[in-house]
Amino acid sequence: MIVRFSELHFPQDPATLYPHNPAGEWHLEIGFGDGRFWAAHHTLEPQANYLGVEISGVSLLKAERRARTSAPQAVLTKADALSLLRAVPPEGSLSRIYINFPDPWPKAGHLEHRLMRRVFFETAAGRLRAGGEIWITTDHEEYFEFALEEARATGRYAITETEPPQAALQTKYALKWRDLGLGARHARLRLELPGTVLHPDFRSLSQIPEDHMPHSVVQLPPAFEISSFEKRVARSASATVVLLEAFRSASRPAWTFLAHVEEEGLTQEVLINATEREQDVLVRLDRFGGPIVTPGVKRAVAAVTDYLEERGSRVLMRAY
Ligand SMILES: C[S@@+](CC[C@H](N)C(=O)[O-])C[C@H]1O[C@@H](n2cnc3c(N)ncnc32)[C@H](O)[C@@H]1O
C-alpha cells in the first residue's frame, strides 16, 4: 500500500499505521528499488511491520505492484530517507533498518550526497530501540568501509560483519553487480547507546530534493485563447489521464490544467501550468500538493502538450 508522505504523522504512531498488528516490530527499508528484498525477506519476519522509503516514483509503483501479491501489508512511501527518518518514527520505535545497495556517490566532491554519514547514524540512534539493528549490504568496498567508520564515530553501535541475508542477494542491484563479478559485503550495526540528540547537520523537510519536473516547450498560435474546455481522456499502457479543466490566470499570461491520473496502486490529481515566456510557453507539472512523478503524471504533461498542439501550437521540446 502506498501512503503519501503528507498523510503520515510527524511523529507517526506505528499502531495506527498497522492496525492489524499494532504491537509488531517496526522495520524500515531505505531505497527499496523495485521491492524485491521485502517481497522475499518478509516470510522470515512474520511479526514485523514494514515501512519502505524510496525517492523514485517509478520504483514506488513497481514495488507496490510486487508487494500487492507478495507482501500485502507493506507500507511504501516516497520521500528522502533522512528526512523521513528524522520526522516519522518516534524515538526508540524502530527495530530494524535495511539498506541494500545504496547509491555510492564515489566521486570525492559528492560524499555529502551519501546517505550513510554520521548524521544518518546519529539520527537512526534516536529512532531505533536499544538492541535494534541497521543491516547494510553493498557491493561497494569503499562506501562500506566509509559507512562503518561513520557509524563507529558515533560510539553507539556494535558492528558485526557477516553473510548477507539471502533476500539481499536477490535484489535487482545485487544481481546486476553479481553478474559483473562483484561480491557483497554485509554488516549489522546493533544499537548499544540510544541517542535523542538531533545532529545540527539535519536537512529540513523543506530541503527534500525535488523531482525533475516533466515539461515541454511550445509556441502558441497568434491570439491563442481557451474559451471553453471539454474533458479529455488520454491513456498509456499503465495509466489513464483525464484532463478535467483548464483555468486562465487572472494575474499573468498562463493557463493551469487540472488532471486526474490513475495508475495501478496510485491515484493523483495534479496541476500542469502553461506559462508564457518571452519567446515561447513552458508547459510544466506544478509542485503544488507534492505530486509523485510517475509515468502517468508524465503522460498528463504530454496530454496537455498534445492538446496545445491540436489547437495549433508548435511543440519545440518535450522532456518527460
Ligand atoms: C542502487 S539502487 C538499489 C535499489 C535496491 N535496494 C536494490 O538493491 O535493487 C539505490 C536506490 O536508493 C534510492 N535512493 C537514493 N537516495 C535515496 C534517498 N535519499 N531516500 C530514499 N531512497 C533513495 C534510489 O532511488 C534507488 O532506488
Side-chain angles (χ1 to χ4, degrees):
M1 172 179 63
I2 292 175
V3 173
R4 296 178 73 106
F5 191 62
S6 56
E7 290 166 346
L8 292 166
H9 293 255
F10 309 126
Q12 171 73 49
D13 175 4
T16 57
L17 196 56
Y18 309 100
H20 58 282
N21 183 24
E25 287 192 352
W26 199 5
H27 291 199
L28 171 70
E29 183 182 359
I30 292 176
F32 51 72
D34 64 8
R36 289 182 212 189
F37 173 72
W38 190 248
H41 191 69
H42 81 106
T43 53
L44 303 179
E45 308 279 358
Q47 85 299 350
N49 290 317
Y50 173 91
L51 174 64
V53 58
E54 186 31 85
I55 204 131
S56 150
V58 173
S59 297
L60 182 77
L61 289 186
K62 283 188 185 159
E64 194 279 335
R65 229 166 281 146
R66 188 183 302 278
R68 210 177 301 159
T69 47
S70 49
Q73 309 290 7
V75 174
L76 307 172
T77 196
K78 177 176 180 294
D80 166 61
L82 185 55
S83 305
L84 176 129
L85 190 62
R86 181 190 176 200
V88 175
E91 202 180 313
S93 60
L94 292 174
S95 292
R96 194 153 320 145
I97 299 175
Y98 304 103
I99 306 170
N100 295 314
F101 301 93
D103 292 333
W105 294 100
K107 287 191 191 152
H110 289 168
L111 296 189
E112 79 277 9
H113 296 307
R114 286 183 164 174
L115 170 73
M116 295 189 292
R117 289 174 298 125
R118 183 167 177 173
V119 59
F120 166 76
F121 291 109
E122 285 286 1
T123 310
R127 305 296 176 259
L128 284 164
R129 64 167 171 76
E133 292 186 334
I134 305 176
W135 288 17
I136 299 167
T137 306
T138 175
D139 61 293
H140 201 281
E141 291 279 338
E142 188 274 323
Y143 188 20
F144 185 72
E145 297 298 344
F146 171 94
L148 296 194
E149 209 37 60
E150 295 281 297
R152 253 180 230 118
T154 68
R156 297 182 180 281
Y157 298 91
I159 301 175
T160 312
E161 206 177 320
T162 176
E163 286 305 305
Q166 270 309 308
L169 298 175
Q170 300 300 324
T171 69
K172 179 174 166 191
Y173 277 82
L175 298 178
K176 184 169 164 180
W177 301 133
R178 191 196 63 190
D179 291 348
L180 291 174
L182 295 168
R185 303 273 303 267
H186 178 74
R188 296 183 185 182
L189 285 58
R190 186 183 151 82
L191 183 65
E192 306 267 280
L193 186 61
T196 51
V197 185
L198 298 187
H199 193 286
D201 184 27
F202 274 136
R203 280 185 279 164
S204 75
L205 285 179
S206 63
Q207 287 170 304
I208 293 174
E210 281 166 342
D211 280 306
H212 160 78
M213 286 290 157
H215 63 278
S216 66
V217 177
V218 306
Q219 243 161 15
L220 299 178
F224 178 83
E225 253 320 327
I226 303 176
S227 46
S228 66
F229 186 83
E230 289 211 353
K231 198 165 85 174
R232 301 160 61 90
V233 179
R235 288 195 173 82
S236 67
S238 62
T240 302
V241 171
V242 187
L243 294 186
L244 293 166
E245 190 52 281
F247 306 95
R248 180 82 159 95
S249 167
S251 60
R252 61 196 176 123
W255 294 263
T256 294
F257 296 81
L258 172 63
H260 175 87
V261 181
E262 276 190 23
E263 289 163 280
E264 260 191 298
L266 186 66
T267 298
Q268 303 188 77
E269 310 261 282
V270 299
L271 297 177
I272 296 144
N273 297 322
T275 310
E276 275 191 38
R277 307 190 294 193
E278 237 166 60
Q279 305 285 337
D280 52 33
V281 168
L282 175 66
V283 178
R284 188 167 62 176
L285 177 68
D286 195 278
R287 297 189 192 286
F288 180 77
I292 298 175
V293 179
T294 57
V297 166
K298 293 177 184 178
R299 182 70 189 87
V301 179
V304 171
T305 308
D306 293 344
Y307 166 76
L308 294 174
E309 189 174 33
E310 280 169 33
R311 301 282 318 274
S313 302
R314 199 153 69 88
V315 179
L316 304 179
M317 189 266 257
R318 295 177 187 256
Y320 308 134

